Amino acid sequence: MIRHLRRKKEYSQEYMAAHLDISQNAYSKLETGKIPMTIDRLCEVARILDIAPTELLAEVKLLENNV
């Protein structure tokens, strides 16, 4: 999951939100699948986490299937 990848990098939700220029609350909802992730946002998150967008997309799909 995205949370797992973020924690592996030791990044806080606040760190991610700041780099995405959104609130921590909005990032939390993005991470938990409560708001949909756009392709542009997915690419931004992947860049911050230093992973391929396709790898992150696989994580997002898993998350969406579990919501």
Side-chain angles (χ1 to χ4, degrees):
M1 288 191 199
I2 297 170
R3 178 178 293 152
H4 172 75
L5 296 170
R6 173 180 57 80
R7 287 182 173 171
K8 191 173 179 181
K9 292 280 189 179
E10 298 183 2
Y11 294 160
S12 66
Q13 286 189 347
E14 292 82 5
Y15 175 89
M16 295 294 293
H19 281 77
L20 294 168
D21 199 28
I22 60 176
S23 70
Q24 181 274 326
N25 190 42
Y27 177 79
S28 177
K29 289 178 181 179
L30 187 70
E31 189 174 87
T32 58
K34 292 181 181 174
I35 58 173
M37 185 173 302
T38 65
I39 296 291
D40 289 339
R41 185 69 75 195
L42 180 129
C43 289
E44 290 178 271
V45 171
R47 179 184 50 77
I48 295 166
L49 295 174
D50 195 31
I51 62 172
T54 53
E55 185 179 346
L56 186 56
L57 182 59
E59 297 292 333
V60 169
K61 288 294 183 189
L62 282 174
L63 182 63
E64 287 176 351
N65 290 335
N66 291 327
V67 172

